[in-house]
Amino acid sequence: MGKRPGLLYEALQRFDSLMALGQSRADAKAQAHARGERFWSFSDGKMHSYQTRATYQDMVMRFLRWCRATYGTKRLADVDQRAGRLQPLDPGHRAQRLTALLRVPTPG
C-alpha cells in the first residue's frame, strides 16, 4: 500500500470533513439572518444529514470511478484543478465537453 490515499479514499475523507452532525442547520441559518445576511436558499457549506451525504457520495463516487477508468486520474487534486472550468453544459454537448475538460495529460 502506498503512502498517499487513493482517489476514492481522498473523496471519503473530504466528505467526512464536510459532515456537521449534531449541529443545527436551522441555528446556522438564524445566525446568518441575525448578521443581516439575506438569501433565497441557505447553505453553510456543511452536510447535516446522512441522507444528504449518501446522495452526494453516490454521485461523486460514480463520477470519480469514471474519471479513473477513462483518464487514469489518481488524485482528487487533479479533479479539483479542472473543477473551476466546469460550467452548465448544453445537454447536446455534455459528453464532448466533459471529455475535453477532464482529460488528464499523458506523460511524454
Side-chain angles (χ1 to χ4, degrees):
M1 178 182 235
K3 293 182 181 186
R4 295 190 319 189
L7 178 65
L8 301 180
Y9 188 73
E10 282 182 303
L12 291 175
Q13 288 177 320
R14 186 171 296 173
F15 273 107
D16 288 343
S17 73
L18 294 173
M19 292 301 293
L21 299 176
Q23 298 176 21
S24 170
R25 182 178 177 274
D27 288 347
K29 186 175 181 178
Q31 290 171 4
H33 271 294
R35 290 190 302 266
E37 296 178 31
R38 300 289 177 239
F39 35 79
W40 179 256
S41 65
F42 174 77
S43 174
D44 61 355
K46 298 285 185 175
M47 287 183 268
H48 298 269
S49 160
Y50 282 116
Q51 186 57 51
T52 300
R53 178 186 173 143
T55 300
Y56 284 116
Q57 185 173 314
D58 178 58
M59 290 184 283
V60 167
M61 295 308 229
R62 283 189 284 140
F63 174 72
L64 293 176
R65 284 186 191 102
W66 175 81
C67 289
R68 187 174 60 187
T70 305
Y71 300 108
T73 306
K74 294 181 180 181
R75 301 284 171 240
L76 195 55
D78 295 336
V79 177
D80 289 342
Q81 208 171 33
R82 290 163 178 81
R85 291 181 274 175
L86 293 175
Q87 52 187 293
L89 304 172
D90 173 51
H93 301 287
R94 184 168 293 155
Q96 296 87 350
R97 179 93 169 122
L98 282 173
T99 300
L101 288 172
L102 297 171
R103 180 158 291 129
V104 175
T106 55

